[in-house]
Amino acid sequence: MATTNVPPDAPGVPSNPNDKDFKKPKDEDFKKPVSWLLGPQLIASLKWTALYIAFKNKLDPRDWMQANIHCFDEQQRLHAAANADEFWFDYFADTGDGQRAMYSIAYMCLSDLWVEAPAALNSVVAFNKQNMASPTHLLRGEFLFVGGDTSYHIADYATVSKRFQAPFHWAFGDLKEAGKVTDDDPRRPLFGLPGNHDYYDVIDGFNRQFRKPTSPENEANQEGLPPQLSIPGFQRCQQASYVAIQLPFGWWFWGLDNEVDRLDIRQQEFFKRIGKGHPPKLIVATPEPTTVLGKLAKSDDKVAQAFKDLNLRRPFLHDGFLLEGECRLDLSGDTHHYARYWGPDATVREDADSSTVVRSDAPSASNYASVVSGLGGAFFHPSHTGVHEVAEQVLYPSPETSRRAVAARLFNPWHLISGGYVALLGASVAAIIYFAAAIPKSSRDVVDALLQRLGITAAPATFLNQHFPDVKGPTSELLTRAGFTLPATVWHLILLTLSVVFVVMSVRYSKKMVELSQKEEAEFRAASFRVVALLVAAIGCLLAGVWKLVEYRDSLSPFKSSLLILFFTLWAITALVASMIYAEWLAKQAREKEVSKRDYWPVWTLIILALIILCAGIFLFGKYPVVYHFSDVIFALITLGGAASLIVLAVIVGGESQAVVGKIGFAMLGAWHALLQLAVVFLLVRIGSPVAWALAVGVVLVFAFIGNQLARRGWRWAL
């Protein structure tokens, strides 16, 4: 890099290799992996992650790109003379996490390797051929392809520079000092495709890292600035977030960018055009695997849809079968372990250890394989979990190794406490529960009633209660008398539930109404009548339910009144969300047909309904001091919302790959988890003595030991 004439404070100037950022730190000064338990990097990235989730279909930079084809002819190949019948390339994905791991990966990509012959799974691989009888030379790849998620948590400029670029400079410097590389070595092409962590930055960092610069890698541009994020030993060649590489021997390498919904039209046309008339020998890299965790893909999955758009066969949907004369490899990262599905039967050396597992019952194929290779240095995903619809030919690490590693991390209390700010979040939740359970009379009486039902005598009120204003009215009959009779309660729930159902149905019919607006007027009027009738019914049910509640308003305790205010607030938010969803749907309809002002009246109706509901809840039930209502609402959100979140997360995340029965099982696990979390906090903060707190710490340590042992042995139900 020529940076001698560049002012040190020039905007956008990457660090000079001689600067401190590219001086290899001491081992203890390597940046550690990012924290996922509400770590500072994760918190800092939440804004961009939320923007991506909200607008990812709107912010699609691919349509402005013009991709290029990179060809490897005999003159461009580094090892053509020595290995005329071989072509090597390097691939990794999910990189730029801990600097030590990234340094190791970079060192390997810049080095030649040797393996004991005959090469097989679990063979010894080394950086030199000493002490090897007849070593096989594993050449550096002709190019390096990064398969997505260049850095964590967001692959923006700063993160890519620190966690991806800098380790490459350190590795190159060490190899240069050892005499294994020089500055005069030809630069190899560097390619990549973006994953979801690249898109959180709207692929700005990805663009700077992988797009061909305006000047050669070691020269300044017309402004006197060196190329940004240049990697020693490599040159950037691609012009888009997707790329086609023509390989020797009739092979092609396609890198697809289908992270944002479906493939855009220009990308589809690019690959369809170059795919005509070429032998069907193809390597396809995608941001997500075609087959993962032993689960067969569905025809409507994002990756499967991309293959359909390009008229490529989808053997991963069924049995891995390809027609004779075709050969293809599907390659991806995203899941952070190694797995190969189909492909040739694997063999293991006799001295193999247990780090890699080979399945004898796995299906094989002579001309197709799906490979997951997400071992670029990020945290590792367990390999012992899966759906078992299709077995892996090769899996690394083995389920036993994976189970031991996960158990060691999961059942280490200090790791959970120090892994981010999740401990601070837990402490905040506990403090809120303690405050609500011990100080305000409204929520404290509810907790007392719950404890009495369990036969537990609650601790006396503290002196802090004097700072809360006194309240009149019943306060402690939540469980003994609901404030109104049971039939009335059921009646209220029915009315309010019907109001929700009617609103949802009105939104559905209003969409149908817009579809009919360009057709017969009679059908349009009929649909409009249904919408109006449903909204009137919804408002009527809501008013009837509110009227019945108002009858018992004077007998409601502060806590019950606060719950009703919370309910009405959530109900108003639901109406607003419904109006936003409907407005978004109308915007999509406007692309195909004309949408008039009258089509928007359900949006305004829902907004007005939300305002009426919110004001009614506050006006009718906000009769106690604001401090009580505020405290009770926060308390209810923490307890009820926290419990619901644990159940929903268990179903959505834990049961993602499960069928209905499996999702129900995860829901039960989430409910049990929520009960344990809340019960422990309630008991400790309300009746806990120093002995109880010490006992709780002891229980945690005992459970950590027992849980570790059960997890290592795979006794899931016992765990």
Side-chain angles (χ1 to χ4, degrees):
M1 290 184 184
T3 59
T4 54
N5 298 324
V6 178
D9 56 347
V13 178
S15 301
N16 188 293
N18 297 321
D19 282 346
K20 60 179 181 179
D21 287 345
F22 287 145
K23 290 182 178 179
K24 184 180 176 183
K26 298 179 180 179
D27 288 348
E28 62 271 14
D29 293 331
F30 276 101
K31 288 187 179 298
K32 297 180 179 179
V34 296
S35 299
W36 288 87
L37 299 179
L38 291 182
Q41 304 97 337
L42 178 62
I43 294 175
S45 67
L46 288 179
K47 177 180 70 173
W48 301 107
T49 305
L51 286 174
Y52 169 74
I53 294 173
F55 297 105
K56 66 178 181 179
N57 292 330
K58 300 288 186 182
L59 303 175
D60 189 353
R62 299 173 301 177
D63 195 49
W64 294 93
M65 298 176 181
Q66 189 66 44
N68 61 324
I69 300 175
H70 191 91
C71 299
F72 279 91
D73 54 28
E74 292 301 319
Q75 287 73 31
Q76 290 177 301
R77 293 178 58 189
L78 298 178
H79 312 297
N83 301 81
D85 58 346
E86 297 178 4
F87 184 87
W88 294 74
F89 69 90
D90 294 326
Y91 173 95
F92 59 67
D94 307 294
T95 64
D97 194 352
Q99 287 184 329
R100 184 188 299 273
M102 188 66 250
Y103 169 83
S104 301
I105 297 294
Y107 196 97
M108 292 179 64
C109 289
L110 291 166
S111 305
D112 287 346
L113 299 173
W114 282 265
V115 61
E116 289 181 333
L121 288 177
N122 298 319
S123 296
V124 175
V125 181
F127 289 101
N128 54 65
K129 55 184 178 180
Q130 296 178 359
N131 302 323
M132 291 186 181
S134 55
T136 298
H137 192 187
L138 305 181
L139 298 172
R140 281 174 284 176
E142 300 284 349
F143 66 87
L144 170 61
F145 195 96
V146 182
D149 292 348
T150 313
S151 290
Y152 290 91
H153 296 284
I154 291 182
D156 57 2
Y157 177 90
T159 307
V160 171
S161 176
K162 293 178 181 177
R163 295 184 177 270
F164 184 82
Q165 182 195 24
F168 266 95
H169 279 276
W170 303 335
F172 187 87
D174 287 349
L175 288 168
K176 180 180 176 181
E177 187 177 333
K180 295 183 178 181
V181 297
T182 67
D183 292 328
D184 297 327
D185 290 345
R187 288 177 175 263
R188 293 176 287 159
L190 172 68
F191 303 102
L193 60 86
N196 57 310
H197 290 270
D198 298 286
Y199 261 99
Y200 293 156
D201 188 44
V202 200
I203 64 172
D204 177 68
F206 176 88
N207 168 56
R208 296 169 187 260
Q209 179 61 76
F210 292 99
R211 190 175 184 183
K212 184 178 181 179
T214 58
S215 63
E217 296 286 357
N218 56 348
E219 297 180 11
N221 59 17
Q222 296 297 322
E223 300 296 326
L225 301 177
Q228 295 180 342
L229 299 179
S230 182
I231 301 295
F234 295 95
Q235 61 178 347
R236 293 161 288 181
C237 306
Q238 69 189 82
Q239 297 283 13
S241 60
Y242 49 94
V243 66
I245 308 171
Q246 188 173 7
L247 307 177
F249 317 122
W251 280 85
W252 281 80
F253 188 112
W254 290 2
L256 309 184
D257 177 11
N258 67 311
E259 179 59 39
V260 180
D261 206 12
R262 294 180 62 175
L263 294 177
D264 58 288
I265 297 300
R266 292 182 184 274
Q267 186 175 180
Q268 290 187 40
E269 292 297 323
F270 171 73
F271 285 113
K272 287 178 180 178
R273 184 171 61 253
I274 65 176
K276 292 182 180 179
H278 294 293
K281 298 179 181 179
L282 187 60
I283 301 171
V284 183
T286 52
E288 297 177 3
T290 54
T291 308
V292 64
L293 297 177
K295 183 176 179 61
L296 290 171
K298 297 180 181 179
S299 59
D300 57 349
D301 287 347
K302 185 167 61 175
V303 179
Q305 185 63 51
F307 280 78
K308 181 180 179 181
D309 290 338
L310 299 179
N311 300 320
L312 296 176
R313 299 188 188 277
R314 301 184 290 178
F316 49 82
L317 295 179
H318 305 291
D319 53 7
F321 175 78
L322 273 178
L323 296 179
E324 186 176 352
E326 297 180 357
C327 193
R328 199 177 84 219
L329 168 66
D330 294 340
L331 187 58
S332 66
D334 191 59
T335 300
H336 304 173
H337 59 236
Y338 180 87
R340 173 165 66 80
Y341 299 87
W342 297 287
D345 293 329
T347 58
V348 189
R349 292 176 61 95
E350 294 181 359
D351 58 346
D353 56 25
S354 61
S355 60
T356 305
V357 64
V358 177
R359 298 283 296 271
S360 59
D361 60 337
S364 61
S366 60
N367 59 354
Y368 174 73
S370 178
V371 171
V372 182
S373 182
L375 294 175
F379 72 93
F380 114 91
H381 281 125
S383 61
H384 62 278
T385 60
V387 181
H388 308 302
E389 292 179 351
V390 56
E392 309 90 347
Q393 273 286 342
V394 181
L395 182 63
Y396 176 85
S398 67
E400 292 75 16
T401 303
S402 168
R403 192 177 292 113
R404 289 196 301 268
V406 171
R409 301 285 283 181
L410 185 62
F411 291 98
N412 184 341
W414 178 247
H415 167 68
L416 298 178
I417 292 173
S418 61
Y421 294 145
V422 69
L424 180 60
L425 175 64
S428 302
V429 170
I432 292 173
I433 291 177
Y434 171 78
F435 179 84
I439 299 175
K441 185 173 177 56
S442 55
S443 51
R444 179 166 57 84
D445 284 351
V446 173
V447 176
D448 287 346
L450 287 170
L451 293 176
Q452 289 173 5
R453 284 280 177 165
L454 297 174
I456 300 174
T457 303
T462 67
F463 73 95
L464 292 175
N465 293 97
Q466 345 177 348
H467 298 280
F468 270 72
D470 193 16
V471 294
K472 298 179 180 180
T475 57
S476 61
E477 306 111 334
L478 179 69
L479 297 177
T480 57
R481 188 172 71 87
F484 32 76
T485 61
L486 182 60
T489 305
V490 175
W491 172 242
H492 301 153
L493 293 176
I494 291 175
L495 289 174
L496 296 175
T497 302
L498 282 176
S499 65
V500 176
V501 172
F502 287 148
V503 166
V504 173
M505 292 178 64
S506 68
V507 171
R508 290 190 60 186
Y509 272 109
S510 60
K511 291 181 179 180
K512 185 69 173 177
M513 180 188 67
V514 174
E515 294 172 356
L516 295 172
S517 62
Q518 307 297 326
K519 300 180 181 179
E520 296 185 9
E521 187 68 20
E523 295 182 4
F524 174 78
R525 289 179 179 177
S528 302
F529 175 78
R530 293 190 187 99
V531 174
V532 174
L534 286 168
L535 284 176
V536 170
I539 296 174
C541 289
L542 179 64
L543 293 177
V546 171
W547 173 72
K548 294 297 293 183
L549 288 172
V550 170
E551 289 185 11
Y552 301 97
R553 180 175 62 168
D554 293 336
S555 63
L556 294 177
S557 69
F559 189 76
K560 299 169 195 172
S561 300
S562 301
L563 289 181
L564 287 171
I565 293 175
L566 175 61
F567 170 80
F568 275 76
T569 302
L570 296 177
W571 180 205
I573 293 174
T574 302
L576 286 176
V577 171
S579 70
M580 295 170 62
I581 293 174
Y582 183 70
E584 180 71 16
W585 182 80
L586 282 178
K588 293 180 180 179
Q589 290 293 311
R591 302 175 184 175
E592 303 175 1
K593 61 185 70 174
E594 183 180 356
V595 177
S596 61
K597 289 184 178 180
R598 67 179 182 178
D599 297 327
Y600 278 89
W601 71 265
V603 177
W604 295 107
T605 303
L606 289 169
I607 293 175
I608 294 172
L609 183 63
L611 293 174
I612 293 174
I613 293 170
L614 180 62
C615 294
I618 296 175
F619 176 77
L620 294 174
F621 305 107
K623 61 174 185 171
Y624 293 103
V626 176
V627 65
Y628 278 106
H629 291 311
F630 181 79
S631 172
D632 293 341
V633 166
I634 297 297
F635 175 65
L637 283 175
I638 290 294
T639 52
L640 301 179
S645 298
L646 290 174
I647 297 173
V648 171
L649 284 174
V651 175
I652 295 178
V653 180
E656 179 182 8
S657 303
Q658 302 293 322
V660 176
V661 176
K663 292 184 185 298
I664 294 175
F666 271 96
M668 296 173 62
L669 181 63
W672 176 242
H673 183 193
L675 177 63
L676 288 178
Q677 292 282 4
L678 294 176
V680 170
V681 176
F682 270 117
L683 292 175
L684 285 178
V685 303
R686 197 63 184 90
I687 63 170
S689 64
V691 175
W693 283 84
L695 181 62
V697 174
V699 169
V700 168
L701 296 177
V702 170
F703 176 78
F705 174 78
I706 297 176
N708 193 346
Q709 299 303 314
L710 294 177
R712 284 170 175 265
R713 290 165 173 76
W715 296 353
R716 295 188 299 170
W717 287 106
L719 181 61

